[in-house]
């Protein structure tokens, strides 16, 4: 799988840009703030409908513009496939696949796959649980696109359940119990489905993360990925039904606490991914270099998971990565990414990019598309 062409209109800093790429390594070189990351961000967005830098689509639209467009042409399974995304702040986004409009934007998920590693990924180790949940969801959505709908439906059910809990003071206990029972019938299946998906994603990541960490780290540390749930026993559950029983029991135990606090206390929105090195929590004990290696291992493991479920390996993006790596880690990373058909590398300094990854090179300047030229 590889990107043959990318066109953006009013996306981030670009009024308009079009680039044609070859299979193999592609290097985008330019000073910080010149727009090279905006281009690979557009590629990643076409794969997962998500940005590694932005929480909301509105920030992807160029200042003063009413909408943004991303057009990507990729070779998928030996066939040319085109994806066109129209981002409309305040209105519904639109998508076309091979020229045909799709009824829902998320229907394009799974067509084109991409894994991005960027400096922001240090949050996967040092950041909040929400960063790690978002990482898991991004992997799940590309592996099994139906989870985009599950996650959206769960978020809606969670908001409505919380609204009911906030109004608990105005209801009798009998009225509240009856209302909660009705909402739990809606909330629980979605919570179970999302939890089971995340739990399986963590299990698929365990061995690839350990292998990737050892492949890129010059130190032979033992890394581990686990699942942390506020509901006892969920992390060890062996079936969807077992997760359902455990979450239902936890909801009943926490009912009084939920009514006092006016918020849902049990569910995947409160879970986390546990990362450790040599048996110690990575968030508190990992050095800067170890944290970078572990975050990179998570992305490389994601590449491995997606590579095993599809006909083609996903596209791999390494956004401003090599400047943070020492020479040993750089060399090891080059070996680790060899399975990709196409690797995009961004760098502020050309010499940071290992010679093994120097394929087609572009220079990205402050004037945007007018100074994006092949060298």
């Amino acid at each position: 799988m590889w990107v043959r062409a990318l066109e953006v209109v009013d996306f981030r800093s670009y009024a308009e840009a079009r680039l044609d790429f070859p299979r193999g390594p592609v290097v985008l070189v330019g000073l910080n703030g010149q727009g090279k990351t905006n281009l690979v961000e557009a590629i990643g967005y076409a794969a997962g409908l998500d940005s590694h830098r932005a929480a909301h689509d509105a920030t992807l639209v160029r200042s003063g513009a009413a909408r943004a467009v991303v057009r990507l042409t990729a070779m998928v399974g030996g066939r040319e496939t085109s994806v066109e995304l129209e981002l409309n702040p305040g209105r519904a986004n639109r998508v076309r696949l091979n020229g045909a409009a799709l009824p829902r934007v998320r229907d394009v998920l799974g067509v084109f796959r991409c894994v991005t590693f960027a400096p922001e990924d240090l949050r996967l180790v040092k950041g909040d649980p929400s960063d790690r949940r978002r990482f898991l969801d991004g992997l799940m959505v590309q592996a099994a696109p139906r989870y985009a709908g599950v996650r959206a439906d769960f978020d809606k059910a969670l908001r409505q359940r919380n609204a009911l809990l906030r109004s608990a003071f105005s209801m009798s206990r009998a009225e509240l119990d009856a209302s909660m029972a009705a909402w739990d019938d809606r909330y629980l299946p979605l919570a179970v489905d999302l939890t089971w998906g995340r739990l399986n994603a963590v299990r698929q990541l365990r061995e690839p993360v350990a292998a990737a960490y050892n492949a890129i780290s010059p130190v032979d540390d033992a890394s581990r990925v686990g699942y942390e749930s506020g509901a006892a026993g969920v992390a060890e559950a062996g079936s969807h039904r077992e997760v359902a029983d455990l979450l239902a029991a936890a909801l009943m135990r926490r009912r009084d606490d939920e009514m006092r606090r006016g918020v849902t206390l049990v569910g995947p929105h409160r879970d986390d991914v546990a990362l450790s090195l040599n048996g110690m929590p990575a968030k508190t004990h990992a050095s800067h270099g170890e944290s970078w290696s572990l975050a990179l291992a998570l992305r490389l493991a994601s590449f491995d998971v997606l590579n095993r479920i599809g006909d083609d390996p996903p596209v791999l993006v390494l956004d401003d990565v090599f400047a943070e790596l020492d020479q040993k880690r750089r060399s090891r990373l080059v070996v680790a990414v060899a399975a990709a058909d196409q690797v995009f590398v961004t760098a502020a300094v050309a010499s940071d990019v290992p010679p093994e990854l120097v394929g087609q090179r572009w220079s990205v300047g402050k004037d945007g598309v007018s100074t994006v030229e092949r060298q």
Side-chain angles (χ1 to χ4, degrees):
M1 183 177 299
W2 55 281
V3 179
R4 190 181 64 75
L6 172 70
E7 182 180 0
V8 293
V9 178
D10 289 327
F11 184 88
R12 287 288 196 182
S13 61
Y14 288 94
E16 186 174 2
R18 178 183 169 85
L19 298 90
D20 295 304
F21 301 117
R23 186 172 183 167
V26 176
V27 179
L28 304 172
V29 178
L31 297 177
N32 292 332
Q34 303 305 299
K36 57 188 184 296
T37 294
N38 297 343
L39 297 172
V40 294
E41 183 179 23
I43 293 171
Y45 188 89
L49 303 181
D50 193 18
S51 162
H52 68 280
R53 298 192 296 168
H56 305 289
D57 290 351
T59 59
L60 304 179
V61 179
R62 190 170 66 94
S63 179
R67 63 169 192 164
V69 177
V70 174
R71 298 186 182 96
L72 181 143
T73 302
M75 299 304 295
V76 180
R79 300 179 62 181
E80 186 172 282
T81 300
S82 64
V83 174
E84 179 179 313
L85 292 158
E86 182 181 301
L87 285 65
N88 300 298
R91 297 176 290 120
N93 293 341
R94 298 178 180 177
V95 63
R96 289 182 175 273
L97 177 62
N98 295 325
L102 299 182
R104 299 175 303 182
V105 174
R106 69 179 187 233
D107 290 340
V108 78
L109 289 167
V111 172
F112 168 71
R113 299 190 305 278
C114 175
V115 174
T116 299
F117 178 68
E120 291 82 0
D121 281 340
L122 196 62
R123 296 182 307 213
L124 298 180
V125 180
K126 297 294 188 180
D128 295 330
S130 59
D131 295 314
R132 291 178 285 278
R133 291 194 296 265
R134 184 179 180 184
F135 159 72
L136 273 190
D137 290 349
L139 174 59
M140 290 163 52
V141 162
Q142 289 204 64
R146 76 174 189 87
Y147 278 109
V150 173
R151 185 178 60 187
D153 291 344
F154 170 80
D155 288 343
K156 181 178 179 180
L158 176 63
R159 290 193 299 270
Q160 293 170 327
R161 191 175 188 276
N162 284 340
L164 176 61
L165 285 168
R166 288 194 296 271
S167 66
F169 69 92
S170 64
M171 306 170 66
S172 69
R173 182 57 187 256
E175 291 173 329
L176 182 61
D177 284 344
S179 297
M180 290 300 297
W183 270 111
D184 284 353
D185 287 343
R186 169 67 173 163
Y187 171 81
L188 186 58
L190 294 168
V192 171
D193 206 1
L194 187 55
T195 300
W196 181 242
R198 288 178 177 173
L199 187 58
N200 281 327
V202 166
R203 289 169 176 168
Q204 291 181 61
L205 285 169
R206 280 177 180 159
E207 289 187 10
V209 165
Y213 186 87
N214 289 333
I216 60 178
S217 175
V219 180
D220 190 19
D221 290 333
S223 59
R224 187 179 186 280
V225 181
Y227 193 81
E228 289 186 349
S229 173
V234 165
E236 296 78 33
S239 68
H240 190 278
R241 181 63 202 176
E242 188 177 356
V243 172
D245 292 341
L246 291 167
L247 286 182
L251 281 172
M252 291 304 298
R253 285 196 303 270
R254 301 300 301 275
R255 178 64 52 84
D256 289 343
D257 291 339
E258 288 184 333
M259 288 190 295
R260 281 195 300 270
R261 296 174 60 177
V263 66
T264 301
L265 299 175
V266 176
H269 61 295
R270 302 182 70 88
D271 293 349
D272 198 0
V273 179
L275 303 173
S276 64
L277 289 174
N278 295 325
M280 303 300 292
K283 183 173 184 177
T284 54
H285 288 74
S287 69
H288 184 73
E290 289 170 336
S291 297
W292 264 88
S293 292
L294 185 52
L296 181 51
L298 287 168
R299 291 301 187 187
L300 293 177
S302 299
F303 176 91
D304 183 79
V305 170
L306 293 176
N307 192 20
R308 283 189 274 114
I309 65 172
D311 295 330
D312 294 333
V315 168
L316 185 60
V317 172
L318 303 175
D319 182 22
D320 201 18
V321 170
F322 288 101
E324 290 283 345
L325 299 177
D326 56 42
Q327 189 58 49
K328 285 187 177 180
R329 285 185 169 89
R330 288 183 185 183
S331 299
R332 288 169 176 261
L333 178 55
V334 169
V335 175
V337 304
D341 285 338
Q342 189 178 51
V343 181
F344 286 87
V345 180
T346 71
V349 180
S351 59
D352 284 342
V353 182
E356 299 92 333
L357 286 180
V358 176
Q360 186 187 68
R361 179 170 293 183
W362 295 74
S363 176
V364 183
K366 65 180 180 179
D367 296 325
V369 67
S370 64
T371 56
V372 179
E373 300 175 352
R374 280 176 286 187
Q375 293 184 337

